[in-house]
Amino acid sequence: MAMPEENSLSLGTVLVTGGSGGLASQILQLFSQRGCEHLHSIDLRQPLRHLEGVTYHIGDLTNSDAIRRIFQDVKPDVVIHAASPKFDAPNHILYKVNVEGTKTLIQIAKESGTRFFVYTSSASVVTDGTADLKNADETFPVIVGDKQPEFYVNTKALAELYVLTQNYRAKDGHQHFLTCAIRPSGIFGVGDLVLLPGMLNVYFRGQTKVQIGNNRNLFDFTENTNVAHAHYLAAVALARFQNDTPGDDARVDGEAFFITNGEPRYFWDFTRLVWGLAGDTTRPDQVWVITRPWALLLAGLLEWVFWAFGLGEPSLTRTKVRLSCMTRYFCIDKAKKRLGYKPLVGLEEGLKKAVEDCVRRRNLEQGTATADMNDVKQKRQ
């Protein structure tokens, strides 16, 4: 399907939730670059860097009164719902924000006259944590409840299902409310606070000579500019088709879309590329390979010990073992055809910039911590 020029359609006022986070900041920046003049962000905290042209609002998605006041003031035409706690947040927080918060946001968006709603979901909503996913597409069922081992993913899946059921085309005098979901896999990039920092922590601890599994499992990763691009294309597509009802093979509203770089890599090849860009010189003959069963046993033991002594989460968990040994890559043909999606930033190009950014931020944080410690010592003297 041929796509018109991206900037040919005005989106009106756009509001992004979680706008102080890494991905949402990329979304705001990309929307701004493409001519969106009325951009707003909602987050619990102010961003580290304010983007020019963006109005920032402090608000808690679980506080319906506060969110309603912001929506009454902003009156967004488009909502990009990218806010979420980190995957390791307490379960009650994950459910309250991801599930209840999304339901509240949908209700308030409808009340305020929002027309288009794009939800940031996760490619993990179709995985049960054990079965390999090879070129998985949107026909794969969403897994929730007892069959979904990760509570974070369960809340993202429940929220996605709810968002898509709220898709509504105008009739009987009621305004349309069109929704869709974007499912990125393994997000990394400049501003990344999760994926690359976790991998680089292993490098900085000097643990790059250990590998879990045989490295025969392909895995999909996605640079965050590409994820932001997909959100933009989704919003444009919803707006373009608001007065038309395309056939099932072209429909965007009420649909979910996998988004990746389209460059699946063997998991440990990707990880060692990250480490190499940070300066690692480990040779293949220096690597000690631990089989998956032994790694799961060790991770389970560590989790029990850390739990028993109140030590938090160990560096090796059963979830990390499963992820590092799973085959998990996705088909993005649907996004290419219906959204006109194609990656803007290649995997290695994006990694070079992202690793550099991650190391720079780490050095700044360490410098601040060292300065703080020196200040404390001076005051003691």
Side-chain angles (χ1 to χ4, degrees):
M1 179 176 62
M3 303 294 292
E5 289 295 319
E6 290 171 347
N7 290 327
S8 64
L9 187 64
S10 172
L11 293 175
T13 300
V14 178
L15 185 148
V16 179
T17 68
S20 298
L23 173 60
S25 292
Q26 288 291 331
I27 292 172
L28 286 164
Q29 184 170 314
L30 185 138
F31 273 58
S32 177
Q33 292 170 347
R34 294 184 179 174
C36 294
E37 298 179 353
H38 306 287
L39 286 170
H40 295 260
S41 161
I42 296 178
D43 206 307
L44 285 170
R45 66 190 191 284
Q46 290 287 351
L48 293 176
R49 180 173 67 91
H50 283 246
L51 296 173
E52 186 177 351
V54 178
T55 303
Y56 291 89
H57 306 268
I58 301 299
D60 184 344
L61 291 183
T62 65
N63 184 335
S64 59
D65 291 337
I67 299 301
R68 184 171 281 106
R69 284 193 294 271
I70 293 171
F71 268 72
Q72 288 173 347
D73 179 47
V74 174
K75 294 182 173 55
D77 300 290
V78 180
V79 170
I80 309 293
H81 182 24
S84 174
K86 289 186 177 180
F87 67 93
D88 56 356
N91 286 0
H92 71 282
I93 297 295
L94 289 170
Y95 191 86
K96 190 172 182 63
V97 176
N98 285 348
V99 181
E100 294 179 356
T102 298
K103 290 181 178 181
T104 298
L105 194 66
I106 287 275
Q107 182 59 42
I108 293 173
K110 287 180 176 179
E111 293 172 1
S112 71
T114 297
R115 295 176 294 158
F116 314 114
F117 192 102
V118 181
Y119 176 64
T120 309
S121 185
S122 167
S124 296
V125 298
V126 300
T127 181
D128 61 4
T130 56
D132 288 335
L133 294 172
K134 299 178 180 180
N135 212 34
D137 63 21
E138 291 81 0
T139 63
F140 280 50
V142 174
I143 299 175
V144 296
D146 294 339
K147 294 182 180 180
Q148 177 52 256
E150 302 301 327
F151 194 80
Y152 169 82
V153 177
N154 187 54
T155 62
K156 295 294 287 185
L158 289 172
E160 180 194 295
L161 291 171
Y162 181 78
V163 168
L164 297 183
T165 64
Q166 298 306 297
N167 184 68
Y168 179 85
R169 286 199 162 270
K171 62 180 179 180
D172 301 328
H174 295 284
Q175 176 180 281
H176 54 251
F177 184 75
L178 305 184
T179 71
C180 69
I182 298 298
R183 297 175 176 172
S185 174
I187 303 173
F188 72 91
V190 173
D192 175 18
L193 301 175
V194 180
L195 182 68
L196 294 189
M199 288 183 172
L200 288 171
N201 282 341
V202 177
Y203 163 66
F204 288 116
R205 288 197 299 264
Q207 298 173 344
T208 61
K209 294 182 180 179
V210 177
Q211 174 182 305
I212 299 170
N214 57 19
N215 194 31
R216 294 176 185 170
N217 52 309
L218 287 170
F219 206 98
D220 256 327
F221 298 91
T222 322
E223 199 273 342
N224 59 14
T225 306
N226 297 328
V227 182
H229 177 51
H231 283 77
Y232 179 84
L233 293 174
V236 167
L238 290 177
R240 182 179 302 120
F241 294 131
Q242 62 182 302
N243 297 319
D244 301 315
T245 306
D248 289 342
D249 62 344
R251 186 172 175 178
V252 173
D253 64 297
E255 299 290 323
F257 300 90
F258 285 116
I259 298 295
T260 74
N261 254 62
E263 301 176 75
R265 297 287 180 99
Y266 290 111
F267 183 87
W268 288 100
D269 287 357
F270 178 88
T271 303
R272 295 198 180 282
L273 176 58
V274 171
W275 292 341
L277 289 170
D280 184 48
T281 57
T282 301
R283 301 190 311 272
D285 62 298
Q286 296 176 308
V287 177
W288 176 37
V289 178
I290 304 175
T291 64
R292 185 177 185 272
W294 277 108
L296 283 170
L297 182 63
L298 177 60
L301 178 61
L302 286 172
E303 287 177 355
W304 184 87
V305 170
F306 273 62
W307 170 81
F309 290 93
L311 301 176
E313 183 179 285
S315 58
L316 183 67
T317 66
R318 284 170 293 181
T319 296
K320 291 179 181 178
V321 171
R322 284 193 291 264
L323 277 177
S324 63
C325 295
M326 279 185 65
T327 293
R328 207 185 93 139
Y329 63 98
F330 303 89
C331 176
I332 56 174
D333 288 351
K334 182 178 176 183
K336 287 180 177 180
K337 179 181 180 183
R338 303 192 193 186
L339 302 181
Y341 171 76
K342 62 179 179 180
L344 302 177
V345 180
L347 191 78
E348 295 195 19
E349 174 193 355
L351 271 181
K352 289 176 183 177
K353 295 178 181 177
V355 170
E356 180 181 336
D357 169 71
C358 195
V359 172
R360 179 187 59 80
R361 284 187 284 119
R362 184 179 188 276
N363 290 339
L364 285 174
E365 290 169 3
Q366 285 195 335
T368 302
T370 301
D372 289 344
M373 283 301 297
N374 290 337
D375 188 45
V376 169
K377 290 178 181 178
Q378 290 175 2
K379 288 179 179 178
R380 288 176 178 171
Q381 292 174 351

